[in-house]
């Protein structure tokens, strides 16, 4: 009995997996993508992902390459300025980093995750090179010299040249490949929700630091004539659960206080969801005929919009190498090049975000004073400020 043949199997139908399917399908590869659950593409649906993603300049360029940006740009809110506020003492320290210092474009553009899934699914439906199978999951595989026999949970087997694991922090592909991970747990959760406020955000993304983790406000489009922002509130796990369940009026009061009132009173306009915060790095990004991307490869606290932007950097490198190695797709030479290009950079960036998170969590006065001094110094020297902004967009250190 003959098996179906594809160039690439993508395990995982989240934002990274859907982007990969569109990018590789647009490049002419025959792709099958599998996920056990249909993507939720309505903000009001049960289980909808209410988080937002800020796509930095390189990520936006990759979305354009994947023929996705034209679909998304009309819904995107530009992020022109990144503002950091230390409110650990009454005399707050505020510094703003303006994209004009390094570019004629914004730092990035913010979009709701549920909307990303909707538009990405619509793009995939246009591609005759991509087949999406929902309700089906990657199970295991047999890698051979010239390809892979992949086993799916519906009992089917398919032949592919390359398996891409984009199936999250508990990746089935990573486990099947026998790749271990190093994990750090912080005892934190991130509360995510959307708010309306009287003060316009003026396309400024703001991180407010006290202790326990940052409180980040990211601009969204106006709703019903009111300015709106997405919020990521990182705090102790027990405190996050309390905040998730207290009455709305009490929550709005506490959220406004924690924000330092930077945008005035915050009015809750969405559900509250909570996500555990960890750092995690796969010991290697590759195995026989296998490449890990996104959270299958790396997880980090949601600081500096690095998470999904790093994931799209993974995909950009992997796509470049796949095009270059189209005739030997998934070969050791191709995968070794991917490992060299990404693993070192991932380890450095995860370590940097880990350090920033621990600094933000710190509640002791000495650590807080060091953070305040660091914000002043890094902003005050223009060459350092400029280099930090460039590195935040993905430039090498």
């Amino acid at each position: 009995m003959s098996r179906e043949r594809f160039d690439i199997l993508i395990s995982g139908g989240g934002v990274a997996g859907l982007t990969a399917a569109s990018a590789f399908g647009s490049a002419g590869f025959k792709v099958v993508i599998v996920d056990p659950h249909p993507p939720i593409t309505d903000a009001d649906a049960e289980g909808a992902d209410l988080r937002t993603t800020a796509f930095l300049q390189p990520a936006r360029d990759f979305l354009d390459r994947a023929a996705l940006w034209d679909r998304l740009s009309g819904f995107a809110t530009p992020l022109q300025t990144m503002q950091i506020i230390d409110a650990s003492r009454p005399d707050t320290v505020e510094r703003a980093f303006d994209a004009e210092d390094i570019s004629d474009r914004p730092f990035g553009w913010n979009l709701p995750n549920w909307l990303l899934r909707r538009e990405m699914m619509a793009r995939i439906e246009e591609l005759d090179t991509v087949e999406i199978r929902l309700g089906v999951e990657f199970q295991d595989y047999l890698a051979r010299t010239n390809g892979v026999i992949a086993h799916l949970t519906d009992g089917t087997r398919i032949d592919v040249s390359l398996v891409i694991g984009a199936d999250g922090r508990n990746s089935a592909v990573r486990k099947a490949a026998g790749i271990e991970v190093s994990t750090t747990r912080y005892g934190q959760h991130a509360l995510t929700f959307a708010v309306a406020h009287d003060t316009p955000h003026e396309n400024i993304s703001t991180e407010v630091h006290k202790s326990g983790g940052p409180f980040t406000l990211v601009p969204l489009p106006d709703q019903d004539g009111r300015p709106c922002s997405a919020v990521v509130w990182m705090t102790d796990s027990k405190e996050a659960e309390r905040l998730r369940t207290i009455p709305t009026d009490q929550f709005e009061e506490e959220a406004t206080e924690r924000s330092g009132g930077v945008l005035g009173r915050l009015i809750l306009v969405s559900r509250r969801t909570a996500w555990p915060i960890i750092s995690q790095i796969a010991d290697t990004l590759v195995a026989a005929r296998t490449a890990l991307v996104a959270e299958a490869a790396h997880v980090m606290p949601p600081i500096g919009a690095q998470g999904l932007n790093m994931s799209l950097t993974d995909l950009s490198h992997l796509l470049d190498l796949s095009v270059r190695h189209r005739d030997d797709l998934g070969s050791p030479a191709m995968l070794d090049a991917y490992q060299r290009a990404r693993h070192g950079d991932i380890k450095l960036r995860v370590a940097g975000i880990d350090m920033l998170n621990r600094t933000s969590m710190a509640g002791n006065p000495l650590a807080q004073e060091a953070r305040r001094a660091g914000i002043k110094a890094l902003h005050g020297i223009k060459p350092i400020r400029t280099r930090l902004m460039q590195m935040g967009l993905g430039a090498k250190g």
Side-chain angles (χ1 to χ4, degrees):
M1 179 178 173
S2 63
R3 292 183 295 268
E4 290 182 274
R5 170 74 195 173
F6 297 88
D7 296 319
I8 298 170
L9 165 65
I10 299 171
S11 176
V15 172
L18 294 174
T19 303
S22 182
F24 283 86
S26 296
F29 292 98
K30 188 177 181 184
V31 176
V32 59
I33 177 172
V34 299
D35 192 277
H37 306 293
I40 298 175
T41 58
D42 185 336
D44 296 325
E46 183 67 27
D49 185 352
L50 300 180
R51 294 173 294 178
T52 65
T53 296
F55 291 98
L56 303 179
Q57 290 178 12
R60 175 247 179 258
D61 294 342
F62 185 74
L63 291 173
D64 198 27
R65 185 178 177 189
L68 288 168
W69 186 245
D70 283 348
R71 286 186 167 277
L72 297 171
S73 60
F75 305 103
T77 305
L79 307 177
Q80 181 64 32
T81 303
M82 303 289 189
Q83 179 174 237
I84 299 177
I85 299 174
D86 187 293
S88 58
R89 293 192 343 207
D91 55 327
T92 61
V93 172
E94 301 182 19
R95 294 293 186 273
F97 297 80
D98 196 312
E100 286 187 354
D101 283 355
I102 59 170
S103 175
D104 59 359
R105 297 192 294 174
F107 282 113
W109 298 261
N110 198 42
L111 285 145
N113 284 7
W114 64 266
L115 186 143
L116 290 171
R117 288 175 167 87
R118 185 188 74 191
E119 296 304 314
M120 289 173 176
M121 285 291 291
R123 168 58 184 159
I124 287 170
E125 289 172 2
E126 296 175 345
L127 289 167
D128 57 11
T129 51
V130 179
E131 181 178 326
I132 187 163
R133 299 185 184 181
L134 303 175
V136 181
E137 194 170 4
F138 169 89
Q139 189 169 45
D140 58 30
Y141 66 159
L142 175 63
R144 302 198 242 183
T145 303
N146 61 347
V148 169
I149 301 172
H151 302 176
L152 306 181
T153 54
D154 64 355
T156 59
R157 299 182 179 188
I158 57 176
D159 288 318
V160 299
S161 296
L162 175 65
V163 176
I164 298 177
D167 45 357
R169 60 185 66 183
N170 298 312
S171 169
V173 169
R174 190 183 65 228
K175 291 173 183 176
I179 298 173
E180 300 294 330
V181 295
S182 300
T183 305
T184 300
R185 303 186 187 280
Y186 300 97
Q188 289 173 295
H189 272 64
L191 275 170
T192 58
F193 52 96
V195 294
H197 39 82
D198 292 332
T199 304
H201 50 61
E202 297 181 342
N203 295 332
I204 298 172
S205 178
T206 303
E207 280 188 7
V208 183
H209 295 262
K210 286 186 178 179
S211 64
F215 184 102
T216 306
L217 295 136
V218 186
L220 288 174
D222 291 357
Q223 294 183 22
D224 300 323
R226 295 185 301 176
C228 289
S229 295
V231 178
V232 180
W233 184 352
M234 292 170 58
T235 190
D236 171 86
S237 295
K238 290 183 179 179
E239 174 67 0
E241 180 58 21
R242 183 189 73 82
L243 290 166
R244 191 182 66 82
T245 55
I246 60 177
T248 297
D249 57 350
Q250 181 183 349
F251 178 79
E252 291 174 346
E253 183 177 343
E254 293 193 30
T256 301
E257 191 280 330
R258 179 62 184 81
S259 74
V262 65
L263 293 177
R265 179 168 175 76
L266 303 182
I267 307 299
L268 189 66
V269 294
S270 76
R271 299 192 309 278
R272 290 165 268 178
T273 58
W275 305 83
I277 301 301
I278 66 170
S279 289
Q280 183 168 281
I281 304 177
D283 290 351
T284 177
L285 304 183
V286 300
R289 297 276 169 183
T290 305
L292 303 180
V293 300
E295 288 202 342
H298 48 77
V299 184
M300 68 193 70
I303 296 174
Q306 291 297 302
L308 189 60
N309 286 276
M310 280 178 56
S311 300
L312 297 197
T313 302
D314 299 342
L315 292 175
S316 180
H317 281 276
L318 193 59
L319 180 58
D320 287 342
L321 289 165
S322 296
V323 170
R324 196 178 311 155
H325 290 264
R326 195 180 289 268
D327 293 335
D328 60 339
L329 183 66
S331 66
M334 173 189 155
L335 294 173
D336 287 348
Y338 175 62
Q339 171 76 7
R340 291 193 305 271
R342 293 299 300 136
H343 204 219
D345 182 61
I346 286 168
K347 288 191 286 187
L348 284 172
R349 289 182 184 273
V350 172
I353 294 296
D354 172 86
M355 181 183 68
L356 289 173
N357 188 41
R358 292 182 188 278
T359 302
S360 185
M361 290 170 65
N364 68 78
L366 286 176
Q368 291 176 344
E369 190 58 37
R371 183 175 65 217
R372 292 163 63 87
I375 291 171
K376 292 177 182 177
L378 294 174
H379 183 274
I381 303 171
K382 185 172 182 180
I384 295 177
R385 181 173 76 246
T386 300
R387 186 59 184 152
L388 282 173
M389 289 190 285
Q390 291 169 338
M391 290 176 66
L393 294 180
K396 295 287 186 181

